[in-house]
Amino acid sequence: MTPRTGITAGAAHDEAVTHDEAVTHDEAVDAARNEIVRVGTSLFARGYVHASAGNISAKVGDCHLITPTDAALGFLEPGRLALVDARGEQTAGDRASKTLTLHRRICSADPTARFVVHTHSTHLVALTLAGVWSHDDVLPPITPYYAMKVGHVPLIPYHRPGDPRVADLVTARIAEHAAGRTPIRAVLLDRLGPVVWGPDAATALAVLEELEETARLWLLTDRRPEPLPDHALDELRSTFNAAW
């Protein structure tokens, strides 16, 4: 009887540990749901997104939460967000955004990426129509905070929304910049707008906001400002570790 009692106690302990881990994961998923809704509401209220354009995702453990396809980011409901497991199979919520592959691949390519935002921000889409500074850097570093908070942003050639080939192009750029020790935090999709990422929502939003504001400034000044001189960029690198 003693061995039987020992086995039962051990199994009960294992079950308790599993239960605790499940609760922790569920709590993390719920927190991520609320954060995505909060960010979507904020982006909509401030004019960064409109209608059903754009999408947001968060990585929770090996799973991903992402806004549903054709969802209006200003009116998201936590329970309707798509939950996708480590194999890419959806386990809850409405049908996942068609950009799910891109979001998952970004998080795989950059281990620091836990929160990904794609918008059709007006000035950044306008920049792709008017002409970017270069395909490797869509904007020149005309302000110190652009160099510090955003860094290099390459242009990704136009593909239809949700085209899986975009993920290959974006991850190739991430790898290229990581090898050159100038990690990127964003790309600009031609005619579709920016995709930004970071370890959390606040970091990703800071990149998005600075990127959109710099595009607005550059377009307002007829794309005339020169980039900061090399000595100024060197100072930002040495003082603030700017990834430029």
Side-chain angles (χ1 to χ4, degrees):
M1 295 297 292
T2 303
R4 181 180 179 82
T5 303
I7 291 171
T8 302
H13 172 73
D14 291 344
E15 183 178 347
V17 170
T18 301
H19 176 70
D20 289 344
E21 289 174 349
V23 169
T24 301
H25 177 73
D26 289 346
E27 289 174 346
V29 169
D30 286 344
R33 289 184 190 278
N34 292 332
E35 187 73 335
I36 288 174
V37 171
R38 182 188 70 81
V39 169
T41 301
S42 174
L43 290 173
F44 180 82
R46 293 182 293 145
Y48 283 87
V49 296
H50 61 277
S52 61
N55 36 74
I56 306 168
S57 75
K59 190 172 189 292
V60 184
D62 291 331
C63 300
H64 283 80
L65 274 170
I66 191 166
T67 48
T69 188
D70 295 328
L73 297 191
F75 304 93
L76 296 171
E77 298 176 33
R80 300 184 69 175
L81 299 180
L83 180 62
V84 180
D85 66 18
R87 296 171 295 179
E89 296 179 2
Q90 186 166 340
T91 60
D94 293 349
R95 184 160 61 93
S97 167
K98 52 187 167 289
T99 62
L100 172 63
T101 297
L102 174 60
H103 287 239
R104 294 182 73 228
R105 293 279 302 278
I106 287 171
C107 291
S108 295
D110 182 349
T112 69
R114 310 288 297 183
F115 203 91
V116 182
V117 181
H118 168 51
T119 71
H120 294 198
S121 305
T122 302
H123 294 93
L124 285 163
V125 175
L127 177 65
T128 70
L129 300 175
V132 298
W133 189 49
S134 79
H135 283 200
D136 291 328
D137 286 299
V138 298
L139 287 162
I142 55 175
T143 69
Y145 272 84
Y146 184 77
M148 292 161 56
K149 302 295 185 182
V150 180
H152 299 284
V153 180
L155 180 70
I156 304 300
Y158 176 79
H159 290 74
R160 66 161 174 80
D163 190 325
R165 291 175 293 179
V166 172
D168 293 333
L169 297 172
V170 173
T171 54
R173 286 295 200 161
I174 292 173
E176 172 190 326
H177 279 273
R181 301 194 178 186
T182 54
I184 58 173
R185 307 176 180 96
V187 296
L188 182 59
L189 308 183
D190 189 20
R191 298 175 182 259
L192 288 172
V195 181
V196 305
W197 57 89
D200 49 48
T203 304
L205 286 180
V207 174
L208 173 66
E209 292 162 9
E210 195 67 38
L211 181 55
E212 170 71 1
E213 179 64 13
T214 306
R216 187 172 78 92
L217 289 171
W218 205 50
L219 291 171
L220 282 173
T221 52
D222 293 327
R223 297 184 289 169
R224 289 195 305 266
E226 292 293 322
L228 289 167
D230 288 342
H231 70 83
L233 291 172
D234 286 340
E235 185 179 26
L236 293 174
R237 293 187 195 101
S238 61
T239 305
F240 301 107
N241 198 31
W244 189 276

